[in-house]
Amino acid sequence: MILKRKIYKKLLEWKKECQGKKALLIEGARRIGKSTICEEFGKSEYKSFLLIDFAKKDKEVEGYFEKYLNDLDTFFMLLQTHFGTKLTERNSLIIFDEVQMFPQARAAIKYLVADGRYDYIETGSLISIRENVKNIVIPSEERHINMYPLDFEEFAIALEEDLLVEYIKKCFEKREPLERSMHNQAMLLFHQYMLVGGMPMPVVTFIESKKDFTEADREKRDILKLYREDIMKIDAKYRSKVLAIYDQIPGFLSQHEKRVVFKKLQDGSYADQYEETFFWLSDSMISNECFLCNDPNVGLSLNETRSYVKCYMGDTGLLVSHAFDENELLEDEVYKQILAGKLQINEGMLYENAIAQMLVANGHKLYFYTHYNENKHRNDMEIDFIISNNSRLKYKMFPIEVKSGKQYKTTSLNNFREKYKERIGESYIIHPRNLIVKDGIICIPPYMTMNI
C-alpha cells in the first residue's frame, strides 16, 4: 500500500526549481518513510534511479567514493555496473539513503552537483550530530527539508476520508461547527490517529488488518525497539542521559506541568548537563521539544529559556505504546476506553502530545508560557503552546490551550490575553467539543489543529 504524502509536492518543487544545481537533503526519524517516498519519486519522475543504502555498509560502494571522485566517468560506470541500472544524463536520480552512516558521501555532493549529470537526494537522521559531520565539509549545495510522520490529514486520506477533510477545512475557514454526526465521525478519526499515530508501517497495518489496534501496536513496538538500539550505539558520554529522558517521556507528560524536572532524573542534576541529550533527541526527531518563553512576543526564540523544557514524543501512536506495556493494552482494553472517551488518566497527555505533533507538522516551533505569582506562591498563568508567524496574521503570536475534557476553566488564557493583548493575533482553545467562538476565543475540536 502506497501512502499519499504531502512531501511529494516539495520534491517536485525542488526538481523544477533547482534543475540539478542543488541536492535535496531529507531529514527525519527512522521508519517514517523517507526511502519509500524517494523510490516512488525516482520511479515516477525519472527515466531511472539508483538507491545507495549506506546502512548496509557495502565496502565496495564506499570504496568508489574513496578512490574515484577525481574520475567521475569511472565512478558512475562502476555504480551502474554494481547496481545494474543505466543512468541517463539529466533524467536519472541517485539517492543516498541513511547518508549519516557514510559522511564521505555527503561531502562528495559538492563535486557531484558541480558535475551536473544527475539529480541527488540524501536521506538521513542525526545529520547534525558531531560524529556524523566530523572531518567533512558540509556542502552548501544542499536544500534541506524535514519529513515527519503522517499528519492528521494524511492519516485521514489513507483511511479514505478525503471528503471529511475538505468539510473540516471549510468549516474552520467559515468558523462554523461541523454537523453533529460529522463532528462525531471526525472525533473518532482523531482518536484513531492519536492511538495509531503517523508512522507508515503501523498505519498500513491498521488499515490492512481492518483497524486492528493490536496489530498496529506490534509494529510500533518494533520501532521503539529500533530507537532504543540507536540510543545504545551513541557516544557513551551521554548515552545514559538520552536513555533516561527517552524512558521518562511518558512520566513527565503525565504530570500536571508536563515539563522535564531534571532533579527527578538524578539528584543534583540540572538542565545544562542535558544539553547534548536534548540535541540528540531533537536531531533524531524522536522527540519534539517545547521551550519556555518568558517574554512572549513575535520573536519567540529570542526569549526562550532552555532550562525549562517539555519533551513530547515525535509520534503520539509511539507514545501510547511507550506508555503502556503490551499486557496492559490488551487486558485493560486501553484502546477501546480512549476511543470511547472513558480513559481519564493519561488522556490529557496523549491529547497534548497529538496537538504538539500536528503543530510541528505544520512547521511551527513549540513554546509554552508560565507565570509564577509570588503572592500566591504558585503559577497563576499556564499556556500550553504559543506559536507565531501565522500566514494569515503576521507579526502576532497565538496562544493555544489544550483541554482533553469538556468542562474546563479559561482563567489562564483570559489573564494572558489581557496582559499581552497588543501582541496577540488569535487565541485558541482545543477541546473535544464542536467549534464555537466565545469571548474572542476560537474553541476548536482537536482535528481542526491541522488548519492552524
Side-chain angles (χ1 to χ4, degrees), residues 1 4 12 18 28 31 40 44 53 71 74 110 130 169-170 232 248 251 260 265 325 334 397 423 442:
M1 178 179 179
K4 187 176 181 181
L12 288 171
C18 291
R31 298 289 179 89
E40 184 186 344
S44 302
D53 183 357
D71 180 6
T74 301
K110 177 180 180 68
R130 192 177 296 120
K169 288 180 178 179
K170 286 178 182 177
M232 296 310 293
Q248 294 196 47
V260 176
L265 291 167
D325 66 37
V334 171
M397 63 176 179
R423 305 178 185 181
I442 305 167

Side-chain angles (χ1 to χ4, degrees), residues 325-447:
D325 66 37
E326 291 174 86
N327 292 330
E328 198 175 359
L329 282 171
L330 292 172
E331 291 171 9
D332 293 343
E333 296 184 302
V334 171
Y335 283 124
K336 290 180 182 177
Q337 291 182 50
I338 294 175
L339 278 177
K342 294 180 180 177
L343 185 73
Q344 298 302 316
I345 187 169
N346 289 326
E347 191 167 8
M349 165 184 78
L350 302 178
Y351 250 74
E352 193 167 316
N353 199 95
I355 300 308
Q357 181 177 347
M358 294 167 81
L359 291 172
V360 168
N362 280 356
H364 296 296
K365 290 185 177 180
L366 303 179
Y367 299 93
F368 72 99
Y369 175 82
T370 62
H371 178 266
Y372 186 78
N373 189 310
E374 297 285 351
N375 296 325
K376 297 179 181 177
H377 302 290
R378 63 177 176 83
N379 290 335
D380 62 354
M381 268 192 278
E382 297 178 11
I383 305 298
D384 295 320
F385 299 111
I386 304 172
I387 58 174
S388 66
N389 295 331
N390 185 285
S391 59
R392 289 179 294 104
L393 285 171
K394 291 183 178 178
Y395 314 120
K396 295 285 184 178
M397 63 176 179
F398 303 79
I400 299 170
E401 279 275 72
V402 181
K403 309 290 185 181
S404 58
K406 292 184 178 180
Q407 302 299 322
Y408 53 81
K409 295 179 181 179
T410 61
T411 308
S412 279
L413 186 56
N414 291 335
N415 292 341
F416 184 85
R417 292 175 72 221
E418 179 61 31
K419 184 173 183 178
Y420 295 108
K421 55 188 173 185
E422 300 300 324
R423 305 178 185 181
I424 293 174
E426 292 175 327
S427 302
Y428 293 96
I429 288 176
I430 298 172
H431 63 184
R433 298 159 67 184
N434 216 329
L435 184 146
I436 183 172
V437 180
K438 187 177 181 180
D439 300 327
I441 298 172
I442 305 167
C443 305
I444 61 172
Y447 52 79

Side-chain angles (χ1 to χ4, degrees), residues 74-305:
T74 301
F75 176 77
F76 291 127
M77 180 194 70
L78 291 169
L79 282 182
Q80 291 176 88
T81 304
H82 184 88
F83 290 98
T85 300
K86 181 174 174 54
L87 298 173
T88 304
E89 284 195 30
R90 300 306 319 131
N91 203 8
S92 287
L93 173 69
I94 299 179
I95 303 162
F96 291 173
D97 199 23
E98 301 292 354
V99 73
Q100 80 281 356
M101 305 287 284
F102 189 65
Q104 294 96 315
R106 189 177 176 202
I109 283 293
K110 177 180 180 68
Y111 308 104
L112 298 174
V113 168
D115 174 72
R117 279 179 244 192
Y118 312 114
D119 286 356
Y120 300 89
I121 295 180
E122 307 161 88
T123 78
S125 57
L126 300 167
I127 291 294
S128 304
I129 290 294
R130 192 177 296 120
E131 300 96 280
N132 295 332
V133 294
K134 191 176 181 180
N135 301 325
I136 71 164
V137 176
I138 304 301
S140 58
E141 297 78 9
E142 283 179 343
R143 175 176 290 185
H144 289 234
I145 58 173
N146 288 333
M147 186 173 180
Y148 301 101
L150 277 77
D151 63 20
F152 175 74
E153 183 178 353
E154 290 171 325
F155 179 82
I157 290 170
L159 269 68
E160 300 182 344
E161 294 285 5
D162 312 50
L163 295 177
L164 181 59
V165 166
E166 292 308 311
Y167 178 51
I168 292 169
K169 288 180 178 179
K170 286 178 182 177
C171 288
F172 180 82
E173 288 170 7
K174 294 178 180 179
R175 299 293 190 264
E176 293 177 355
L178 274 68
E179 188 274 329
R180 180 174 291 183
S181 66
M182 292 292 102
H183 167 70
N184 292 338
Q185 185 179 339
M187 282 301 298
L188 176 61
L189 190 63
F190 171 76
H191 280 115
Q192 290 174 338
Y193 177 65
M194 189 166 67
L195 295 172
V196 176
M199 302 301 282
M201 277 307 296
V203 172
V204 170
T205 301
F206 181 67
I207 294 168
E208 292 182 344
S209 65
K210 296 181 170 48
K211 300 185 179 179
D212 186 328
F213 288 107
T214 305
E215 290 296 320
D217 184 68
R218 289 195 184 101
E219 292 293 339
K220 290 187 289 174
R221 291 187 187 280
D222 287 345
I223 295 169
L224 290 170
K225 183 181 177 185
L226 176 70
Y227 287 175
R228 178 172 284 276
E229 288 171 355
D230 285 345
I231 293 171
M232 296 310 293
K233 295 174 187 173
I234 65 178
D235 193 316
K237 287 187 297 183
Y238 54 100
R239 182 191 303 147
S240 62
K241 292 178 182 177
V242 172
L243 206 54
I245 296 290
Y246 175 76
D247 283 341
Q248 294 196 47
I249 288 175
F252 287 125
L253 292 180
S254 64
Q255 299 174 115
H256 172 68
E257 288 190 341
K258 295 183 172 59
R259 67 180 179 86
V260 176
V261 181
F262 292 98
K263 64 182 179 182
K264 288 188 178 181
L265 291 167
Q266 186 177 341
D267 286 342
S269 64
Y270 51 92
D272 289 350
Q273 294 174 316
Y274 286 83
E275 187 176 352
E276 282 189 333
T277 300
F278 284 109
F279 181 76
W280 192 94
L281 285 168
S282 177
D283 200 54
S284 68
M285 297 174 77
I286 289 174
S287 71
N288 291 321
E289 297 172 337
C290 181
F291 293 107
L292 173 68
C293 187
N294 52 22
D295 182 22
N297 209 330
V298 177
L300 293 170
S301 61
L302 300 175
N303 298 294
E304 69 180 35
T305 304

